[in-house]
Structures are given as C-alpha cells and as structure tokens.
Amino acid sequence: MKRVLVLLLIFCSQFSFADDFGDFMKEMDKGYTSQQDDFETYNEDIKKEFERYKRIVDEEFEAYKKEIALKWSSPEMTGPKKWVEYKDDMTARRSVDFDAGEFTIEIIAESIDGIEAEFEGMLKDMLSENYAEAYERDKPAKRIEKRAEEEIGGLLKGSPDESLVIGSAITGKDNPNSRDIEEATGKLLKGAEVNEKPSKIPGKKVYVLKGKLPKGIYAAKAREIAPIVRRYASKYSQKPSLIFAVIHTESAFNPMARSHIPAYGLMQIVPKSAGVDVAKYLTGKQTILAPSYLYDREKNIEAGATYLHILSTRYLRYIDNSLSRLYCAIAAYNTGSGNVALAFNGRDAGRYRYSAAKAAKKVNRMTPEQVYSYLRNNLTYAEARSYIAKVTSLLPKYSYFD
C-alpha cells in the first residue's frame, strides 16, 4: 500500500511540475500512449485552425492593400501605433500616429476648392468616432472575422463599446458635446499645415492636412482607461503601472492597433499565442479570440492582464524572487516564455532548452539586477532586448496609478 502511495505522489508531482502537458505525457509509461495520442491529435487540430486563421488574415490584408493601391501610391494601413481609415470610395484617408503625436488627412481631388471644408468635416468625424464605429469601418478586421467564422467557427467575439476613440482625450471631456468637438476641431485646424503632392490618378492631386495632437495625449488616454486597468490589475494580481507600461510600449494607447502577425488592440494580443492561453484560462477551452473581442478595450485589457498573470504564476512560477520574475514576465510578454528560458539554458541544453523550470535554477542564483542585465544581453531577438528596457523604464512613469 505504501508503495502505491509513493508512486501516486510521484505521479502527481510530475504532473504538477511538468512544463506543459506535452512534456508530462512524454515522461509517462507506454501505458499512457493512448492519452498522449488523444492530446497530440487535439493539439494538431488546434494548430491547423490557427494556421487557417493566419492564412485568412494574410489573404485579407493583401486584398485590402491591393484595393488601396488602386488609388494610392502608398497603401498605408493601421499598425500597432497608427490608426488609419479610408473613405468607402478610397478618395480620402486619415491617420493618427499615436507615437509621434500627429494626425494627417489626405484627400484626392482635382483642385483645392472645397478642400478646407472636407478637412474640417473629417476632423470632426475623427473626434466623434467611437470604438463600435471604428470596428465597423475596419474592412480587413470585419472580413477576417466573417471568413474565420464561416471557415473555422467557434470564435470568441466581442462588442466594442461607444466610448470615443480619441475625442475624449483631445477635448478633455468624457462625453464631449457638439460644441466641444467644434472647438477642438478649430484648434487642430489652426495649428495644422496644408500641402499637396502628386496623385497616381491622372488629373488629380493629393491635398494633405498635417498637424499635432495636443500635448499630454498619453496621460489623457491613461486616465481614461485607468478604471479598467485597475480593475483587472487587481483581479489578476498585477500592478497597474505594469499594464500601462505594456500598453504604452505595445500600442502607444492606440485602441485600434493592429499588426500583420496578427496582434490586436491596446495590449497587442496575438490570437495564436497569448490568445490561446487567455481563452483557455477565461473559458476553459482553446479558441480564437476574434478581432471584435480584442477591439473591445475592456476585454483587451483583461486579456493582457490575464496573460501577465499566466506568465507569472504558471510558466515562470519556479522563479523565487518577485522582481526577477517580473523582468522575465516582461520579456516573455514580447517573445514568449520559451525564448526567455532559452536565453538562460542555451541551445546546448537540447530538449530542455525551452524549459522554464531548468532556467529558473539559473535565475534563482542571480540577483534581480543580474537577471535584468542578462536578459538585456542574451535574449535571442533584438526587439525583445529593447522591449524589456522600454517597459521597465516606463514603470516609474505610471507608478502613481498603483
């Protein structure tokens, strides 16, 4: 009987401390091969779903670029820190560069007559636009979600709310009225410059209005989402300053942020990686987080806070020092916990090179300062090395939210 109990304890111990279910199954006896086969079949099905989703994303992005290129020399699209929208007929576009603190409106026309009124109208519309409207106007996101639902199914969808995308931050009011919008539009126009450039359409030119956003746009956006950040920071045992620093670094507070990876929203959640863990944690099943889910700012912030929680309490749980664990979690948010482990284990570690448990043994022999320095110098990708530096440097800036 004692022998059975000992074996059971060993079994449970291995289950609790295996890096993931796949590693655990490989360590078990051949008697468990049927369970392993079931898991691997399920995992392969999930992998195929995400490959199909990525193919849909790539195809829709490419199709939209071609649509833009029919009238524009440069097919500019929304990115992590820039929000770009086109009129339905593609004869005008506007962009907000959250990182540079600038806005640009471009109109294709035969002459400058009437352009000033069009600039004013597009600025007013920009300040009045809410999240729900922005999502409805995002052709690639809408098409991706529609196709993915038809071809894959089972997406976890959301409903972006009616909070203003940028109008509240610029006017300084939560619910600006028409007069507030009018006054803010006048100020933006007053400080802007108008230029022109060639158009690829014969007989027409591109008229460009370019101006600066008000100073303090980051602070205004931070105050706007502070209640949401604090709520989920508390729920998932994270400091608000960390969530704000990640948002600042990932999207510069651009709520409509998107990259080709694809990643969406304020905290740039990637459906294939972080999204899998988040969906599993929140719903109990692995599924694809749809664009509408990740453009819902509250769901996006919850997803980001959840992922930071998962990194800290699951993948990096063997790291004893909380500050060392924080540095590793910041790096892992960008590059994945496997690549963080690789930095410490090295490629010579063979099948254990991505083992977080093995990496923790080395981390636990270091001071937090040494861990930070080691990550800055040994993470595989330059982007990740810069990422940990930027996020860490921003923590004090947002510490007053803690």
Side-chain angles (χ1 to χ4, degrees):
M1 184 65 181
K2 288 182 179 179
R3 185 181 178 188
V4 172
L5 287 172
V6 170
L7 288 172
L8 183 60
L9 286 171
I10 292 171
F11 179 92
C12 292
S13 176
Q14 286 176 321
F15 184 88
S16 299
F17 293 98
D19 277 346
D20 55 41
F21 190 71
D23 286 345
F24 166 68
M25 293 305 294
K26 290 173 185 176
E27 293 170 6
M28 295 296 101
D29 295 332
K30 290 183 179 179
Y32 296 97
T33 53
S34 62
Q35 290 177 325
Q36 184 175 352
D37 289 343
D38 289 344
F39 174 79
E40 289 177 351
T41 300
Y42 172 73
N43 198 44
E44 190 62 30
D45 289 343
I46 293 295
K47 183 179 178 182
K48 286 179 181 178
E49 284 187 3
F50 281 106
E51 286 174 351
R52 286 159 65 193
Y53 181 72
K54 183 61 166 66
R55 174 177 53 78
I56 291 170
V57 170
D58 291 343
E59 289 175 358
E60 291 301 331
F61 276 6
E62 192 59 35
Y64 192 56
K65 280 183 181 178
K66 288 179 180 178
E67 192 177 332
I68 297 169
L70 293 174
K71 293 186 178 179
W72 297 86
S73 301
S74 57
E76 193 173 324
M77 294 176 67
T78 291
K81 298 177 181 180
K82 183 180 283 190
W83 172 38
V84 182
E85 279 191 347
Y86 289 81
K87 285 183 69 174
D88 286 341
D89 63 2
M90 291 290 181
T91 60
R93 69 183 176 192
R94 66 167 178 246
S95 64
V96 178
D97 188 329
F98 285 78
D99 202 30
E102 298 176 343
F103 69 89
T104 305
I105 296 176
E106 298 171 271
I107 299 171
I108 299 172
E110 293 180 356
S111 73
I112 199 169
D113 294 340
I115 290 296
E116 186 175 327
E118 286 195 55
F119 283 148
E120 184 177 355
M122 290 184 70
L123 267 179
K124 285 180 181 178
D125 183 69
M126 180 184 83
L127 297 180
S128 303
E129 188 169 354
N130 62 44
Y131 291 91
E133 291 169 333
Y135 173 67
E136 288 299 319
R137 294 175 180 181
D138 192 328
K139 289 183 180 180
K142 292 281 290 181
R143 291 169 181 172
I144 288 166
E145 186 157 327
K146 184 175 185 295
R147 276 190 60 189
E149 186 67 19
E150 292 172 349
E151 298 177 30
I152 302 171
L155 273 67
L156 191 60
K157 298 188 286 187
S159 301
D161 64 31
E162 295 185 357
S163 301
L164 300 187
V165 176
I166 196 168
S168 298
I170 289 180
T171 62
K173 298 184 178 182
D174 291 338
N175 298 294
N177 57 33
S178 57
R179 183 174 179 178
D180 298 325
I181 296 294
E182 188 87 33
E183 290 178 357
T185 299
K187 289 178 182 178
L188 291 177
L189 283 170
K190 189 175 181 180
E193 293 183 355
V194 178
N195 292 293
E196 62 181 58
K197 61 183 182 181
S199 169
K200 71 180 298 180
I201 300 175
K204 296 188 177 183
K205 293 180 180 179
V206 179
Y207 296 94
V208 184
L209 176 77
K210 191 162 190 169
K212 288 283 186 182
L213 299 175
K215 291 182 179 179
I217 193 74
Y218 281 6
K221 292 298 290 181
R223 286 193 298 272
E224 190 177 297
I225 61 173
I228 302 172
V229 170
R230 284 193 169 119
R231 184 181 314 133
Y232 292 109
S234 175
K235 184 174 181 179
Y236 296 107
S237 304
Q238 303 298 314
K239 286 191 173 182
S241 57
L242 173 60
I243 295 175
F244 278 118
V246 169
I247 290 172
H248 187 136
T249 304
E250 290 284 353
S251 65
F253 292 89
N254 173 16
M256 303 309 296
R258 181 181 66 222
S259 74
H260 69 282
I261 294 174
Y264 296 95
L266 288 167
M267 299 192 74
Q268 285 291 274
I269 304 298
V270 182
K272 188 177 179 180
S273 53
V276 176
D277 285 332
V278 170
K280 179 73 173 175
Y281 187 93
L282 295 176
T283 70
K285 61 182 180 179
Q286 289 180 314
T287 188
I288 296 172
L289 300 181
S292 62
Y293 185 95
L294 295 172
Y295 280 142
D296 181 324
R297 62 177 182 170
E298 181 153 349
K299 285 182 168 59
N300 189 282
I301 292 169
E302 181 180 22
T306 302
Y307 189 51
L308 287 166
H309 174 76
I310 291 169
L311 289 171
S312 298
T313 62
R314 183 184 301 172
Y315 295 118
L316 305 171
R317 65 186 181 275
Y318 306 107
I319 297 173
D320 296 332
N321 185 280
S322 60
L323 186 54
S324 294
R325 198 183 317 118
L326 172 65
Y327 291 144
C328 290
I330 290 170
Y333 193 94
N334 175 265
T335 195
S337 58
N339 282 326
V340 171
L342 177 64
F344 291 99
N345 296 331
R347 296 192 180 278
D348 293 340
R351 66 186 290 263
Y352 295 105
R353 61 185 179 273
Y354 296 113
S355 168
K358 179 177 175 60
K361 293 178 181 178
K362 186 170 183 177
V363 173
N364 289 338
R365 293 195 295 268
M366 298 178 173
T367 65
E369 292 73 24
Q370 289 171 329
V371 171
Y372 174 80
S373 180
Y374 193 91
L375 289 167
R376 284 281 290 123
N377 290 290
N378 292 280
L379 286 165
T380 303
Y381 301 106
E383 179 187 325
R385 296 195 294 272
S386 298
Y387 186 87
I388 185 175
K390 183 166 185 180
V391 173
T392 303
S393 71
L394 287 169
L395 292 174
K397 177 183 177 71
Y398 295 103
S399 61
Y400 62 91
F401 286 107
D402 290 344

